[in-house]
Amino acid sequence: MRAAVPPTEAVADDGWAQPAWVPTRALGRTVLITGLLLVLGVALGRVDLVLLAAPFAIGAAVALRRMPRFAPELSIEADEEHIVEGGNVRAGLTVANPDVITYDLVVVRARTSPWLELEDADRPHAIKVAPDGWTAVDLSGRATRWGRQDVGPAAARVAACGGLLACRPVVIPAQGVRVYPETEPFAATEAMPAAAGLVGNHRSRRPGEGGELAGVRPFAPGDRLRRIDWRVSLRTRDLHVASTLSDRDAEVLLLLDVLGEAGESGGVKGKASVLDTTVRAAAAIAEHYLQRGDRVSLAEYGSSARRLRPATGRRQYLTVLEWLLDVRADTGEPNSEHVFGAHNVSSDALVVVLTPLVDPRAADMLAGLVQSGRYTVAVDTLPHDAAPPPSGPWTSLATQLWRMERENVLGRLREHGVPVVDWAGAGSLDLVLRDVARLASAPRGR
């Protein structure tokens, strides 16, 4: 195989496909030697030269007595089950022989994603395939990073008839493998700043059928008898009932800043880049709130402005994981009005912004969200050791100045009421959610 994956064979302009099997150089040398010896034997009148050419002619005739008529069939088998970062991936190549002759040699090779550590995937494999049979090459291994990873494209070259005929390269496209992000442990015990749904687990500020006591009030038509507070009723000589706050669900909008990538990704067990932290944190937060019955939606802050509608339940969690597989760095101009318009973001939704705060447009977006009255929490996803590659003697000094400027941006955001917290797994948002809930419950000036 001259290349790992040769280009796909072209088809003639008139629609006639090129033959699958072509003569090899061995057949050309056999014909050349046989013809040359016969010509010399006849011209010089030497029988020994004709006898010397006989083995070549007889051997080629015997080898070509049964010629292949069909091209080999190559396929890629990849695991389509739920694979998480660090999990095992079952993959392989299968070569089938639809002819009635044995393939002398089959060389197969496949390109694979660098985030799939498949066994012996970086070298060609030489196998033999029996007539009307098949042979498989196992490429099982481990997935080291989230995303849509590819097994393939793959190519196969086959030699038959004693090496006198060879099949043109058979190339097949790649088979995709979906590797879902590893969900980091996350638990937020603080109340939501605003719960506005119909049912749920969060205490709201609205009276209703819940478990949180709001006070005692006089009995009114429509009140249930089991709500009567007999102690207060006997003391006041009038019926009083205990009023409660309704338990409602909340809407959580996870906003992913994809304006750039920073840091180096080392896979599930290595260093985490900005996108790694963003995707894994989003999966963890979404899983936590969806398990509590809340509605979760996602959006990207970039030129594509991808968005996932709010929903709840197990199906929404699987949809979130599928949506996160397509997260890519997007340096285009974001359309803020399309994503954060008043008709797109609920006024009672908790907006969790996952951002490295590297692009100044992200800071402006956060300030705009807070000024519009949204309950906003910013999660810093920039790795602590993130730094530009050294390109001169002033790189370290420039990096220090950039970090100082970034600290100033964080300070100005906090002054505008934007809580910023580093992502640290479980309990990362408890403190800031407590402050946001306290501000939400405070009376607002007219």
Side-chain angles (χ1 to χ4, degrees):
M1 240 162 115
R2 299 180 182 176
V5 178
T8 306
E9 294 295 332
V11 179
D13 294 338
D14 56 358
W16 179 78
Q18 298 182 1
W21 294 89
V22 294
T24 62
R25 293 182 180 180
L27 180 57
R29 289 191 295 265
T30 301
V31 174
L32 177 62
I33 293 175
T34 302
L36 183 61
L37 291 175
L38 289 177
V39 171
L40 291 178
V42 173
L44 300 178
R46 296 181 57 179
V47 181
D48 57 338
L49 294 178
V50 177
L51 296 177
L52 188 61
F56 296 96
I58 295 174
V62 172
L64 296 175
R65 73 185 187 279
R66 301 181 66 182
M67 299 176 58
R69 294 182 298 175
F70 305 101
E73 299 174 357
L74 178 63
S75 61
I76 299 177
E77 297 179 358
D79 198 347
E80 296 183 356
E81 297 181 359
H82 189 92
I83 303 174
V84 185
E85 289 178 300
N88 296 325
V89 179
R90 293 190 299 270
L93 304 175
T94 302
V95 182
N97 181 5
D99 268 306
V100 294
I101 64 170
T102 303
Y103 290 158
D104 298 327
L105 178 64
V106 180
V107 180
V108 294
R109 189 170 186 177
R111 291 176 179 170
T112 60
S113 170
W115 302 112
L116 295 179
E117 296 180 352
L118 303 182
E119 184 177 0
D120 298 329
D122 58 344
R123 66 176 183 86
H125 298 265
I127 58 177
K128 294 187 67 175
V129 184
D132 197 18
W134 57 273
T135 302
V137 178
D138 185 28
L139 298 178
S140 299
R142 191 171 67 99
T144 60
R145 190 173 186 261
W146 58 272
R148 301 185 186 274
Q149 314 300 344
D150 289 334
V151 179
R157 296 205 67 174
V158 182
C161 299
L164 300 181
L165 294 179
C167 181
R168 295 184 182 275
V170 178
V171 183
I172 58 175
Q175 180 75 21
V177 176
R178 294 174 295 181
V179 182
Y180 297 105
E182 183 184 39
T183 304
E184 299 182 9
F186 169 73
T189 59
E190 289 300 323
M192 296 293 292
L198 298 177
V199 294
N201 298 323
H202 299 289
R203 184 186 65 194
S204 70
R205 292 172 290 171
R206 301 178 182 179
E209 296 294 330
E212 187 71 18
L213 183 64
V216 179
R217 59 176 177 79
F219 181 85
D223 290 336
R224 297 186 178 183
L225 297 179
R226 63 185 181 89
R227 291 289 186 181
I228 296 177
D229 190 327
W230 294 106
R231 181 178 301 178
V232 178
S233 299
L234 292 175
R235 187 174 62 249
T236 59
R237 301 294 181 177
D238 291 323
L239 286 179
H240 284 72
V241 294
S243 61
T244 57
L245 298 176
S246 61
D247 295 332
R248 298 175 180 263
D249 66 345
E251 180 180 346
V252 181
L253 170 61
L254 302 180
L255 181 58
L256 281 59
D257 179 5
V258 295
L259 292 180
E261 171 71 307
E264 182 180 358
S265 178
V268 64
K269 299 300 181 182
K271 296 181 179 180
S273 65
V274 167
L275 287 184
D276 289 342
T277 305
T278 299
V279 170
R280 292 165 186 165
I285 298 174
E287 181 183 22
H288 168 74
Y289 284 113
L290 287 174
Q291 287 179 349
R292 302 188 64 178
D294 296 324
R295 290 167 288 122
V296 175
S297 61
L298 287 87
E300 283 186 354
Y301 183 66
S303 60
S304 61
R306 289 197 310 137
R307 190 179 180 92
L308 179 65
R309 62 175 181 82
T312 186
R314 174 70 178 176
R315 183 176 180 180
Q316 177 70 358
Y317 176 61
L318 297 178
T319 306
V320 166
L321 293 180
E322 192 76 19
W323 191 89
L324 290 174
L325 296 182
D326 297 321
V327 173
R328 299 289 184 273
D330 186 1
T331 58
E333 185 65 27
N335 189 349
S336 302
E337 188 64 28
H338 175 71
V339 179
F340 312 120
H343 60 285
N344 289 329
V345 180
S346 173
S347 59
D348 294 323
L350 171 64
V351 183
V352 180
V353 183
L354 302 168
T355 173
L357 290 173
V358 174
D359 196 302
R361 293 174 294 183
D364 297 337
M365 174 265 296
L366 284 171
L369 283 174
V370 174
Q371 291 176 359
S372 64
R374 268 53 176 188
Y375 305 104
T376 307
V377 175
V379 178
D380 189 359
T381 59
L382 184 69
H384 295 287
D385 56 351
S391 58
W394 302 100
T395 302
S396 59
L397 181 59
T399 303
Q400 294 179 8
L401 292 176
W402 169 76
R403 288 194 173 276
M404 294 174 60
E405 182 180 359
R406 186 172 180 273
E407 291 297 329
N408 292 334
V409 173
L410 294 177
R412 290 197 297 269
L413 287 175
R414 293 189 177 99
E415 290 178 357
H416 284 79
V418 181
V420 182
V421 61
D422 295 336
W423 174 254
S428 298
L429 306 182
D430 273 350
L431 295 179
V432 293
L433 286 180
R434 183 186 308 167
D435 296 338
V436 173
R438 186 183 299 114
L439 292 175
S441 59
R444 300 185 180 181
R446 295 181 180 270

